[in-house]
Amino acid sequence: MPVLHGILAAILLLTGVAPSAALGYPNRPMRVVVGFPPGGPTDVIARLVAQTLSDSLAQQFFVENIGGAGGNTAAGQVARVTPDGYTIMAISTGLLGKPQPLGQGAVRFDQGFLCDFG
């Protein structure tokens, strides 16, 4: 049964890649922000995923590490980026579970959005 679920998941993922490639998105390099220094588990996973996406979508995905404040610094920068779909963030579950307030410029999370994943 797990093999059948894996095959079904692969089919669903592959059918999503073809329409996105037909639309010409992405048509410029994509930025993957990691909220931790290079070499950690989140960074390694982000680099593996970025390489796979680069190969499958024929567009460069580059990883940018912005360390500090347990990922909150990077989350704040990503939250202020123009929402054009060319910047994504790789985070650990700790940032979603308990974000730390850092003053006036802190990132505020929509609690309804977080409950969807709980």
Side-chain angles (χ1 to χ4, degrees):
M1 198 64 155
V3 174
L4 183 60
H5 289 173
I7 292 171
L8 181 61
I11 291 170
L12 291 174
L13 286 174
L14 290 175
T15 56
V17 171
S20 67
L23 296 174
Y25 174 82
N27 58 9
R28 61 185 167 114
M30 296 279 295
R31 177 180 173 209
V32 180
V33 177
V34 177
F36 302 98
T42 306
D43 177 58
V44 171
I45 292 169
R47 290 180 189 278
L48 291 171
V49 170
Q51 183 61 48
T52 304
L53 288 171
S54 292
D55 294 342
S56 65
L57 295 176
Q59 190 57 255
Q60 181 182 3
F61 282 70
F62 65 94
V63 175
E64 180 180 342
N65 295 86
I66 303 174
N72 282 317
T73 304
Q77 288 189 17
V78 171
R80 289 184 288 277
V81 169
T82 304
D84 59 1
Y86 286 91
T87 301
I88 57 177
M89 184 173 180
I91 60 172
S92 68
T93 56
L95 182 62
L96 287 175
K98 187 177 179 186
Q100 300 296 320
L102 298 174
Q104 228 174 4
V107 177
R108 303 289 179 228
F109 292 95
D110 179 6
Q111 295 298 322
F113 170 76
L114 292 177
C115 292
D116 290 343
F117 292 103

